[in-house]
Amino acid sequence: MEIKKGIGVSPGVVICPAVVLDAEDLVVPKRHVPTEQLAPEFERLGHAIAQSVVDLTRLRDDVTGKHGKEIGGIFDFHLGILKDKSMLTQVTKEIKNQSTTAEYAFTVVMRRYATTFSAMQDRYLSERVKDVYDIERRVLRHLIGQQHQDLLHLTQDVVVIAHDLLPSQTAALDRNRVKGFATDAGGRTSHTAIVARAMGIPAVVGLGNLTQEVNGGDIVIIDGNAGVVIVNPDEEQLAEHRETEKRRVKMETQLATLVDLPAETLDGVVVSLQANIEFPAEIGDALARGALGIGLYRTEFLFLGSDVEPTEEDHFNAYSDALRRLSGRPLVIRTLDLGADKQTQHRQSNPERNPFLGDRSIRMCLHDIPMFKRQLRAIMRASVLGDVRIMFPMISTLMELRQAKMVLNDVMEELEDEGIPFRRDLPVGMMVEVPAAAIMATNFAKEVNFFSIGTNDLIQYTLAVDRTNEKVAGLFCPAHPSVLLLLRDIIRAGSRSGISVSVCGEMAGEPLYTLLLLGLGLNVFSMNGPDIPEVKKIIRSTTMEHAKTVARKVMSFDSERQVMHFLREEMRKIIPEAF
Ligand code: PEP
Ligand code: MG
């Protein structure tokens, strides 16, 4: 059994056997063709393009009929390129000037298009590079005579696992048989994700090397809500996910009625429920679920969706986009948290032996000041466009925090010298996710404007349990009394210093812990958007007095089993329908 965490791009849970699509890399060697034999190459080219236009027109009409104009329209872009006279002129020239085959010339020109698109500042346009590869493959298949591997002859329900589904592959999926998909690569604004949402198929992308870990026929759970894929799940996980999906559908309908109501206890205490995002495009969904702002923007996903490092403008565009969507609501921008599980190993020539304990997060930023400054400049420039707050991740020493703040000050001075406006009083906070910082929370509280507790890492480092290793997944437990003691002390230190404290790790969105966190005095919860309604329901069903009693009792236990059992019973009392 293998558990993989990626980016959930389309909600729902599906359990099915897998079909694994090969990467299907078409290698086109450069072959010399004597000038007198070039005529057939032009003919072959014309024929392959004409055939591709026929295929695409049929596909577009078919998809438009099934899924509407917006999805079908993807193929108009493909058709536009194939019918573009300048494209044809470029390929013809390439054949002539290089004395080469139609397929080689076509590849050269398509790679040129791909480079142009991927260099575009606009993320939507730069994502179109995948469409260019899609067009290239289609024409090459006709030139090389390879048959298009489609999914038209499926006889049972499946989930599709692929390195990176091409837009046309996604749109052409047989909706009656393909029940979900998961890919190694991909981002939220890729066509693949757009199509998945439009089709209502659960999908998870950005899973790294999933295709190497799944064989055709393996049973796979795709959980588009949690962004998780489980390969060959055990009986317990199967039962759990079937149950989750049933409950989700029923509960979602009921909870939708709470969206405009405050997260207020029965005795009038109001807390703020905010959302975690990886991309600005998620903000609309988060607000629709009732989020009052973004409590954690994981900006490192700007890097993970692309092979090239984002420029200052890329950062700035992403932050201004997010602020536009938020219309004045708060946005906590966490500075880059790269390294460890955030897939940057391939950028490093020397993989680290212990990446979670290595050059990760703020450490990596302080080792690469130009990269760090690019991001800080963009954040400060965006600070005049809305309610921006900045947050440093993985702080473990006061010196580190002071250094990060010094770099931020340098950036402010530079901007001032350049006459670029920014907000000097923008709140500066830190994540408390390393036990060293948790233990010294009182000292740190004097030097920041807010804390946000990253329970995912805090649990991993406190319990010495790799959060990505399924072999020790059973030991990864938010209810461990040592973790709870740290949580209590961080919240206490924050409130004594008068700074706000939130939890932005997964624990904040787990209903089992809502009463406890509320009772410990937490006033900001930041979680995945889909978790907000259920947490709000719990808060609205209890009193602060009850939550405090629960927290006091929990802090007297010395085992996580006792804690979880007790919390389950208390939850059952206030919302029995959840059980
Ligand atoms: C955390 O560690 O709890 C957290 C929110 O950060 P991430 O999951 O991105 O490491
Ligand atoms: Mg973390």
Side-chain angles (χ1 to χ4, degrees), residues 298 334 337 342 360 431 433 454-457 467 504-505:
R298 291 183 163 102
R334 177 175 75 181
D337 189 37
K342 304 272 173 67
R360 198 196 148 186
M431 292 200 63
E433 53 182 345
T455 45
N456 306 340
D457 278 312
R467 61 192 263 194
C504 64

Side-chain angles (χ1 to χ4, degrees), residues 305-361:
S306 145
D307 281 337
V308 287
E309 284 200 9
T311 60
E312 182 182 322
E313 278 322 292
D314 290 334
H315 282 287
F316 178 74
N317 290 338
Y319 308 151
S320 11
D321 180 14
L323 290 165
R324 242 190 329 270
R325 293 171 193 262
L326 280 165
S327 324
R329 298 178 188 87
L331 172 68
V332 178
I333 304 182
R334 177 175 75 181
T335 59
L336 299 168
D337 189 37
L338 288 162
D341 59 330
K342 304 272 173 67
Q343 305 169 21
T344 49
Q345 293 303 319
H346 69 282
R347 291 171 204 263
Q348 296 173 9
S349 43
N350 285 323
E352 293 178 278
R353 280 182 295 278
N354 269 312
F356 273 107
L357 303 181
D359 189 25
R360 198 196 148 186
S361 195

